[in-house]
């Protein structure tokens, strides 16, 4: 009998199984861009037209009072440095309409309000009284408009000559009385009494004030422009 045959087994290791290659990543999808609307240009133009119309209407509804415009008013109350301290409010009425171009912007008799900026009486023998006021606002058709004006300052006259006259008249009067009473020596005594009396009169009556009665006309100038609604 022929010998049995056995399968030949190789001693070399078998090749390891090959791994499947990783699939390549798919390319990222392109962002979807919205297609331009055929009505977009129309919408943009319409919006711009609305904005232009609103700007035109706004200009038509308001008027500008330029800086430097003169405002002429009349006081509605009395102001006096003797009784009116700084910071006191006051009222006035427009005496002359404010006109821009050919149109009346603020009519006559419009109420204005102002403030006393400085109020100081003069000294007994020197200095001058000072009253400085300015306008702050006016009210028209239910709306209050804030304004800034150049202050109007008033000064009292100098009382130096008046004091000198009072003190000079005192000795003359006293000398006359003394001469009638006692002749020559009495005249010298009377002159001394008169000088003292003249100085006292100047001390009592020399202090001055600035007083602006009701209906006093005043003129102010606008520092900056003001936008107001059409009347």
């Amino acid at each position: 009998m022929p010998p049995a045959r056995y399968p030949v087994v190789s001693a070399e290791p078998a090749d390891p199984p090959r791994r499947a290659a990783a699939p390549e990543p798919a390319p990222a999808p392109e962002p979807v861009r919205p297609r331009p609307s055929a009505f977009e240009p129309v919408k943009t133009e319409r919006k711009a037209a609305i904005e232009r119309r609103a700007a035109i209407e706004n200009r038509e509804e308001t008027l500008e009072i330029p800086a430097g415009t003169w405002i002429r008013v009349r006081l509605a109350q009395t102001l006096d440095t003797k009784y009116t301290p700084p910071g006191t409010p006051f009222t006035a009425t427009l005496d002359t309409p404010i006109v821009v171009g050919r149109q009346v912007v603020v009519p006559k008799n419009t109420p204005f309000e102002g403030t006393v900026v400085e109020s100081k009486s003069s000294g007994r023998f020197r200095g001058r009284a000072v009253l400085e006021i300015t306008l702050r606002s006016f009210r028209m058709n239910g709306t209050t408009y804030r304004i800034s004006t150049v202050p109007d300052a008033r000064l009292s006259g100098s009382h130096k000559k008046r004091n000198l006259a009072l003190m000079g008249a005192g000795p003359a009067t006293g000398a006359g009385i003394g001469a009638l009473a006692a002749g020559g020596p009495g005249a010298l005594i009377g002159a001394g009494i008169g000088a003292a009396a003249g100085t006292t009169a100047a001390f009592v009556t020399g202090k001055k004030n600035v007083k602006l009665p009701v209906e006093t006309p005043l003129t102010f100038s606008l520092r900056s422009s003001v936008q107001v609604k059409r009347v």
Side-chain angles (χ1 to χ4, degrees):
M1 259 181 97
R5 295 183 179 181
Y6 297 95
V8 179
V9 178
S10 174
E12 294 181 0
D15 293 336
R18 295 181 181 181
R19 294 181 180 180
E24 295 182 359
E30 295 184 0
V32 178
R33 298 179 181 179
R35 297 178 61 183
S37 173
F39 298 100
E40 191 65 27
V42 177
K43 292 181 180 179
T44 303
E45 181 62 27
R46 183 179 300 174
K47 182 179 179 181
I50 293 174
E51 292 178 351
R52 287 195 300 268
R53 185 181 304 171
I56 293 174
E57 291 177 353
N58 185 48
R59 288 196 300 268
E60 290 177 350
E61 292 178 355
T62 61
L63 287 172
E64 180 181 294
I65 305 175
T69 299
W70 295 106
I71 302 177
R72 296 174 174 85
V73 299
R74 286 187 179 273
L75 277 179
Q77 65 192 78
T78 298
L79 299 179
D80 191 332
T81 54
K82 187 176 181 179
Y83 306 105
T84 309
T88 300
F90 69 89
T91 56
T93 55
L94 189 63
D95 193 38
T96 303
I98 299 176
V99 180
V100 176
R102 296 183 179 181
Q103 183 169 357
V104 174
V105 180
V106 185
K108 184 178 179 179
N109 296 326
T110 297
F112 278 72
E113 292 186 356
T115 304
V116 176
V117 179
E118 184 177 1
S119 178
K120 182 179 67 176
S121 299
S122 69
R124 298 287 184 179
F125 294 98
R126 65 181 62 185
R128 296 186 177 187
V130 179
L131 180 62
E132 185 176 346
I133 58 180
T134 187
L135 295 178
R136 298 296 189 190
S137 65
F138 66 91
R139 188 167 180 80
M140 183 177 63
N141 296 330
T143 302
T144 299
Y145 298 93
R146 302 294 177 183
I147 60 175
S148 176
T149 64
V150 178
D152 184 331
R154 302 295 178 96
L155 300 176
S156 67
S158 174
H159 50 44
K160 182 176 180 181
K161 293 182 180 179
R162 182 185 179 192
N163 287 346
L164 291 176
L166 288 171
M167 289 185 287
T173 304
I177 295 174
L180 293 175
L188 295 177
I189 297 173
I193 296 174
T199 303
T200 303
F203 180 79
V204 173
T205 63
K207 195 171 182 179
K208 291 191 173 185
N209 296 288
V210 174
K211 181 178 180 180
L212 301 179
V214 176
E215 294 295 322
T216 297
L218 300 170
T219 301
F220 300 86
S221 175
L222 275 180
R223 288 185 182 273
S224 55
S225 61
V226 182
Q227 295 287 340
V228 299
K229 296 179 181 179
R230 290 179 182 269
V231 179

